[in-house]
Amino acid sequence: MLRLPPELQDEIISLLQYDKKSLSTCALVCRTLLPLCQKYLYAGVTIESTTRPNALSSIQFQQILSKWTYLLGAVQYIEIIDTEFSSIRGETPEWLSRDRALARCLPQLHSLKGLSIRYRQDQWQNWEGLSEGLLRAIIERLSSPSLAYLHIQNVPLALLRFCPNIKYLSVRVAGHSTSALNSNIVLFMPIPPIFQPPGGICSPESLRIVVGSRPSPSGPTSWFLGLKANGISFQKLKNFHARVYGSLDQHGIIQSILEDCANTLEEFVFDPSIETSWEPFSAGRLELGIMKRLRTLAVRLDIVFQSADQPNLGNWSESMPWFVGLLKTFASAGRHPLEVLKIRVNHAIEDGQYNAEPWVEMASFLGNNETFPLFRNLKLQFCSFSGQEKGIAAFSRLASDLASRLEGVRVHAVFLEDGALKSLCLCRLKDVNL
């Protein structure tokens, strides 16, 4: 049998690192390929309830590490899931507070670069019952110099005091259900005093935050204050992705963070409250003029036309007027370094009619070289369900019209129907160097 040089084997297997099925097949070919394949198969591990089919439990994971000890250095990311609906069969019982295997596994993963803990919002009292051994193991990994990414959902914010080396932070601050108030209890729980923070401030360069439907009984900004009180600084933040499920008032959390990173933020991706669609002139408008280094802005908007047989819903539901008001807050900054604007539009307009006025107003504002001297890219993504051919045609004409109004700007439009690419429109101007 022909034997390939080890370095060539490594190169071949590395090309399959994102193809789990092929890696599993190659691992069965011979003993030589087994450790090479396992290195990639176990680079990212998800631990969850055994009630989910094909799920990997903490006990099974401990047995694997005991059998193949070289995997201890291969695991780079681990996700721990104990949520209400982690099973396709419905609700699952809570297991993390009763677990003992993770407390033995986590301290051995010295090469861990990313950690995700997703906990349930309806059984906060179980977090109090977490074993001291497991809590110690989690804190030890959080304090590791190698850990760069952390995602937490419904776990105490006080854990952030133990991870001064985090560069990428993702926080979900509440859920959607009526029991989300319990998430507040969990998030503001203290850590037992026997655990002392290592010192230093957690200053992530990238932040993703999801604000649920019931963020706090004491006001949205309490979440921001909770993060700050637990040693988080946003003064080095360069990338900020934010999603708001609830009311416009919850935009206050986002505004507080923007004010904290006004001198460093370079990219802001925002999925605003759905209330921007029917209350475009209400509260909840952010102040973007304070962002002195912002170069890329991305936002999701909704445009829905309700037919005559749905009179109670009104004729229009769109968030474009709200967004135009948001753009106008740039005027307070004078000259601004914004270079790229990305707009994702979820639309449902069967007759192809839409309100063009806010789009024209947006083009007029963006075309002002005094305010946006560096603006060169407008990227549009129009998403719809099937049966929206007239809407797609209308927005295709809109993209061409915007290109004619924005001198020297690349206008790139993509149309998706039921998640699949429908058409592509690249509007080029003679004086644009592509």
Side-chain angles (χ1 to χ4, degrees), residues 14 33 40 83 98 107 129-130 135 217 219 244 255 366 386 388 395 408:
S14 68
L33 295 182
Y40 294 110
T83 57
R98 297 175 282 107
L130 212 67
L135 186 57
V244 174
Q255 179 63 35
L366 290 175
S386 59
Q388 301 292 322
F395 285 123

Side-chain angles (χ1 to χ4, degrees), residues 290-309:
I290 63 174
M291 313 310 298
K292 299 178 181 179
R293 299 183 62 181
L294 188 67
R295 301 189 181 279
T296 301
L297 173 64
V299 66
R300 182 209 39 91
L301 305 175
D302 293 306
I303 299 179
V304 179
F305 177 74
Q306 306 294 352
S307 59
D309 60 349

Side-chain angles (χ1 to χ4, degrees), residues 358-376:
W359 293 94
V360 173
E361 190 175 1
M362 179 193 74
S364 176
F365 187 67
L366 290 175
N368 186 343
N369 289 328
E370 293 296 323
T371 304
F372 301 106
L374 302 179
F375 184 67
R376 292 294 181 270

